[in-house]
Amino acid sequence: MEELSVSVLLYSLLFFLFPFLCGYIAVKVKLPTIVGYIISGIILGLLVHSEISDIVSFFANVGLILLLFTIGLELDISSLKRYRKFVLWGGLYQMLVTTAVACALLLLFHVPIVPSILLAIGFSLSSTAVVSKLLQEKGDESSLAGQLAIGILIFQDIASIPIIVLLSSLDMSNTGFLPIISTLGLVVGKSILIIGLLIFIGVKGIPYIFEKLGKLSRELMNLFVVLFIIGVVALFTVLGLSSALAAFVAGLLISQTSQHYHVFSQVRPLRDIFVILFFVFLGASTPLALLLTQLPLILMFSVVIMAIKIAILYGVFVKFHFHTKVSFGLGVLLSQVGEFAFILFKMGEQSGLISSELVTFATGVTLVTLIVCPFIISKKDSIYLFLYRFFRKVTPDLERYVHSLADADRGRWEKVQHKDHVIICGYGRIGSYIGRALKMAEIPYIAIDYNYFTVSEARQQGESILYGDPTDPDILAQAHIAHASALISAVPD
């Protein structure tokens, strides 16, 4: 066996050392590790730009395939059922309006129509990785805003798949509107036919094969997973379809098996390593000098994009009669531009639809939002309170209208004794236990919660509960706090 050359070992060391160091620094300063990986790629691009070979690009593509495979593998439609109306319509409105506004802004700066649309679609997406990690760190996955955010992120991930398919199917000669539409129609038709055939065969066949291999040998099953992914990707490639779509379909088919949790646990470490190389490759392909010359415009556009996304989600969910605090928190959670945008921008460049200058600009905007967003999320309650007081003072009529639309309680709770009662702030798991204990002791109480579903379910069970923010003085006044014997805080925050 031939020994590896010193140069190959050196470059391999650099391509893992710099991401490790930059990722470590990012974690220490509480930034998403994606930011560290892209910055490490920018540094490597300056040091060894001539050595960024096809092999690194190949590994980056493997990372993309594994990422889409695990998205298909993890797809849990049942998690959307409770909030499906709000997730589907809220997610759709947010993507469409953000895309329209961002596209209009880009057109004002004389960006061509096709690149404007693609960049705007990328800006409408949020980061599943960053939001999930931040929610887990704060223990907010089960909160109302957290569940809605995860649902919308799943919707965005699904919605981005056909866009990736289209981009991977185009070439530089098909940049006109009609060629794109005809290509899209052809790709969609072929995709539906092949996916339908695979699902028809796979729904029964794949679980049977995995059941047999699981009993026979775990190693053989792991090997079959790799073989299955490569086989589906090869089939789609031969038929002129996207390898990205193939990876997603492969994951979707294996998700129907009882072994999919095991498969995910085996694939995830490989996916994480190769996805890191994708972001390193993205950073290494970014010209730093051009990025710096565009910095003022990048910063301005980043602020505008984040403000637009917060405002749209706030408006949509207030219209759905969600509490203003929940709506604002959801907007802040999804205000950043996500990692899928990097993929869209890079594939758009490879298809010849987006220039390298625009990709650099869009990458810069995405990086800034990822850097800023964790700090804003950590202060979202303080920002909400400041804005609430500001608008209440400056535009009292608007504040009263929004309050009547989303925050005002419409339930019947007047039957509760308004003297010597207990006020329970927050009626989640802990608050409901306290309520049961008080009911058993025959002590009157009023609960307050701003989770629309929690309040509705509690009222159906005959509980005395107010819909509103437990920290709002007006809501506490409605609960007759001046005559209460005690106030119990069961708010997760």
Side-chain angles (χ1 to χ4, degrees):
M1 183 176 177
E2 187 178 342
E3 292 290 335
L4 292 173
S5 67
V6 175
S7 60
V8 170
L9 291 172
L10 178 60
Y11 288 125
S12 300
L13 179 65
L14 289 175
F15 266 89
F16 283 99
L17 176 62
F18 277 90
F20 172 78
L21 294 175
C22 292
Y24 177 81
I25 294 170
V27 170
K28 282 295 183 182
V29 298
K30 297 184 178 179
L31 287 176
T33 50
I34 292 170
V35 175
Y37 300 146
I38 293 175
I39 291 173
S40 72
I42 293 173
I43 297 170
L44 285 167
L46 294 173
L47 296 177
V48 291
H49 183 73
S50 60
E51 302 298 332
I52 299 172
S53 61
D54 292 339
I55 189 69
V56 179
S57 175
F58 170 76
F59 285 138
N61 286 326
V62 171
L64 175 59
I65 287 171
L66 291 177
L67 176 63
L68 292 168
F69 171 75
T70 52
I71 287 173
L73 194 62
E74 287 186 291
L75 189 61
D76 182 13
I77 301 299
S78 63
S79 65
L80 304 179
K81 284 183 179 177
R82 187 182 186 190
Y83 306 115
R84 58 185 177 274
K85 171 188 171 183
F86 309 107
V87 165
L88 295 177
W89 286 111
L92 183 62
Y93 287 152
Q94 182 270 316
M95 286 189 70
L96 289 177
V97 179
T98 303
T99 299
V101 175
C103 183
L105 287 172
L106 289 165
L107 289 172
L108 286 176
F109 286 93
H110 306 292
V111 177
I113 181 67
V114 173
S116 294
I117 293 172
L118 292 177
L119 292 182
I121 291 171
F123 291 146
S124 72
L125 302 175
S126 303
S127 174
T128 305
V130 171
V131 174
S132 300
K133 186 173 184 296
L134 291 172
L135 287 173
Q136 287 171 0
E137 287 175 354
K138 290 193 68 179
D140 286 346
E141 309 101 304
S142 59
S143 68
L144 180 57
Q147 290 181 66
L148 288 169
I150 294 299
I152 291 173
L153 287 166
I154 292 172
F155 173 82
Q156 289 182 357
D157 287 346
I158 296 171
S160 63
I161 297 298
I163 303 167
I164 291 174
V165 171
L166 174 61
L167 288 176
S168 63
S169 304
L170 295 175
D171 55 47
M172 293 183 67
S173 62
N174 291 333
T175 57
F177 183 74
L178 289 177
I180 289 175
I181 294 298
S182 62
T183 302
L184 176 61
L186 181 62
V187 168
V188 169
K190 289 168 68 176
S191 299
I192 291 173
L193 182 63
I194 299 302
I195 291 171
L197 183 62
L198 279 174
I199 291 175
F200 178 75
I201 297 172
V203 165
K204 296 293 184 182
I206 299 301
Y208 176 79
I209 294 171
F210 272 84
E211 191 70 32
K212 291 294 183 183
L213 288 174
K215 293 177 182 178
L216 187 62
S217 169
R218 190 182 69 176
E219 291 178 359
L220 283 176
M221 186 170 66
N222 292 341
L223 185 59
F224 180 76
V225 170
V226 177
L227 179 64
F228 183 70
I229 296 171
I230 294 173
V232 175
V233 169
L235 174 65
F236 274 56
T237 303
V238 168
L239 295 172
L241 296 174
S242 164
S243 60
L245 177 63
F248 179 76
V249 171
L252 202 59
L253 288 171
I254 295 179
S255 71
Q256 307 304 310
T257 69
S258 58
Q259 293 82 12
H260 71 278
Y261 292 113
H262 166 76
V263 172
F264 178 77
S265 69
Q266 298 297 301
V267 172
R268 184 176 179 176
L270 278 175
R271 178 204 68 179
D272 291 345
I273 293 297
F274 283 110
V275 167
I276 287 171
L277 289 176
F278 171 81
F279 289 115
V280 171
F281 177 72
L282 179 70
S285 306
T286 302
L288 183 60
L290 185 59
L291 188 67
L292 293 175
T293 59
Q294 295 181 345
L295 191 58
L297 188 60
I298 286 171
L299 293 174
M300 182 198 74
F301 214 85
S302 300
V303 173
V304 171
I305 289 296
M306 293 185 73
I308 288 170
K309 295 179 84 169
I310 291 172
I312 290 169
L313 282 164
Y314 178 82
V316 167
F317 280 88
V318 163
K319 192 67 176 174
F320 283 147
H321 302 294
F322 281 84
H323 195 278
T324 52
K325 189 173 184 180
V326 174
S327 303
F328 180 79
L330 180 61
V332 171
L333 279 171
L334 301 178
S335 61
Q336 77 293 126
V337 182
E339 58 275 356
F340 255 114
F342 290 125
I343 298 169
L344 293 180
F345 301 151
K346 201 65 186 174
M347 294 185 76
E349 183 184 24
Q350 291 170 351
S351 299
L353 298 173
I354 308 176
S355 67
S356 59
E357 291 81 4
L358 285 174
V359 170
T360 301
F361 164 76
T363 300
V365 171
T366 306
L367 277 174
V368 170
T369 63
L370 288 172
I371 291 169
V372 172
C373 193
F375 298 107
I376 297 179
I377 290 175
S378 66
K379 301 292 183 184
K380 69 179 188 298
D381 291 338
S382 302
I383 297 171
Y384 167 80
L385 190 59
F386 170 79
L387 292 174
Y388 175 78
R389 289 171 175 168
F390 174 79
F391 284 109
R392 192 174 189 177
K393 183 178 180 180
V394 175
T395 57
D397 292 338
L398 177 62
E399 189 278 330
R400 277 194 293 271
Y401 171 74
V402 173
H403 178 80
S404 67
L405 184 66
D407 297 351
D409 190 289
R410 300 174 180 80
R412 297 186 63 187
W413 50 273
E414 293 84 354
K415 62 181 181 179
V416 180
Q417 179 180 326
H418 295 158
K419 191 175 181 182
D420 298 327
H421 59 292
V422 175
I423 298 175
I424 306 173
C425 295
Y427 205 66
R429 185 169 56 89
I430 302 300
S432 60
Y433 288 157
I434 295 169
R436 280 183 226 156
L438 292 173
K439 184 181 287 186
M440 291 172 65
E442 298 184 349
I443 299 172
Y445 68 90
I446 298 175
I448 306 172
D449 203 292
Y450 55 70
N451 187 322
Y452 177 83
F453 294 95
T454 297
V455 174
S456 298
E457 290 172 2
R459 281 178 176 161
Q460 288 173 4
Q461 296 169 8
E463 300 295 336
S464 305
I465 185 166
L466 274 169
Y467 173 61
D469 184 357
T471 63
D472 188 334
D474 290 337
I475 297 294
L476 291 172
Q478 288 183 44
H480 297 272
I481 190 172
H483 304 291
S485 61
L487 183 145
I488 301 172
S489 177
V491 180
D493 295 332

